[in-house]
């Protein structure tokens, strides 16, 4: 039988608080539960505790997202998934925990899903590299 292992990282209550402040600063719409940031704040202490408790114990499970159609510039629409406020806090906790660990192993020329890097940055880098090569 295998021995229990320690968790690879600890989620502090302070981290959940910092994540909440980022989510609040970004504003955003209510999710499928229709709970706005203001509604979330009416029981802020318990809501943040619940997120911390579930994430710390490994039982956090994200709720469904609200599907919203948004117009595309060339016509038509695309579906945007809007998570609940609580799930945005949990996602931010995960990003704040994992980003420092993973950023150091990415190649400098990697642009996908990286902070402060965009598809336009990748195209500019490719154009610059092509000019040097060709």
């Amino acid at each position: 039988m295998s021995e229990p292992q320690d968790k690879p990282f600890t989620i502090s209550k302070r981290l959940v608080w910092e994540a909440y402040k980022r989510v609040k600063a970004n504003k955003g719409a209510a999710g499928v539960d229709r709970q706005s940031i203001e509604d979330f704040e009416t029981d802020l202490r318990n809501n943040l505790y619940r997120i911390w408790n579930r994430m710390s114990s490994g039982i956090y499970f994200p709720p469904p997202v609200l599907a919203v159609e948004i117009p595309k510039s060339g016509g038509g629409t695309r579906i945007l998934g809007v998570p609940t406020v609580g799930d945005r806090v949990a996602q931010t906790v995960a990003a704040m925990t994992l980003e420092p660990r993973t950023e150091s192993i990415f190649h400098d020329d990697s642009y996908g899903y990286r902070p402060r890097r965009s598809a336009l940055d990748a195209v500019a880098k490719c154009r610059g590299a092509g000019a040097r090569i060709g």
Side-chain angles (χ1 to χ4, degrees):
M1 189 154 78
S2 65
E3 294 295 318
Q5 296 180 347
D6 289 338
K7 295 177 187 172
F9 49 86
T10 301
I11 298 170
S12 70
K13 291 177 182 174
R14 168 64 82 197
L15 181 63
V16 175
W17 174 252
E18 293 300 324
Y20 157 73
K21 290 194 310 187
R22 287 187 186 186
V23 168
K24 182 177 179 169
N26 286 340
K27 300 179 181 159
V32 70
D33 62 358
R34 306 227 185 271
Q35 184 180 49
S36 67
I37 290 174
E38 292 78 19
D39 295 335
F40 186 84
E41 289 175 330
T42 61
D43 195 16
L44 182 61
R45 185 181 182 119
N46 285 328
N47 286 329
L48 295 179
Y49 176 81
R50 191 175 304 115
I51 292 166
W52 169 81
N53 187 28
R54 289 177 181 170
M55 291 186 82
S56 293
S57 62
I59 62 167
Y60 181 81
F61 192 79
V65 296
L66 177 66
V68 177
E69 285 190 9
I70 60 171
K72 292 169 64 174
S73 59
T77 60
R78 72 177 180 94
I79 301 294
L80 175 69
V82 180
T84 64
V85 172
D87 194 39
R88 290 201 310 267
V89 172
Q91 289 176 22
T92 304
V93 167
M96 291 170 70
T97 301
L98 297 174
E99 188 177 291
R101 295 173 151 214
T102 56
E103 260 315 287
S104 64
I105 62 174
F106 278 108
H107 189 278
D108 283 343
D109 291 337
S110 175
Y111 288 84
Y113 303 102
R114 305 251 330 260
R116 296 164 299 281
R117 294 183 185 219
S118 70
L120 293 176
D121 294 330
V123 170
K125 180 72 172 186
C126 290
R127 287 186 175 155
R132 287 191 304 266
I133 296 169

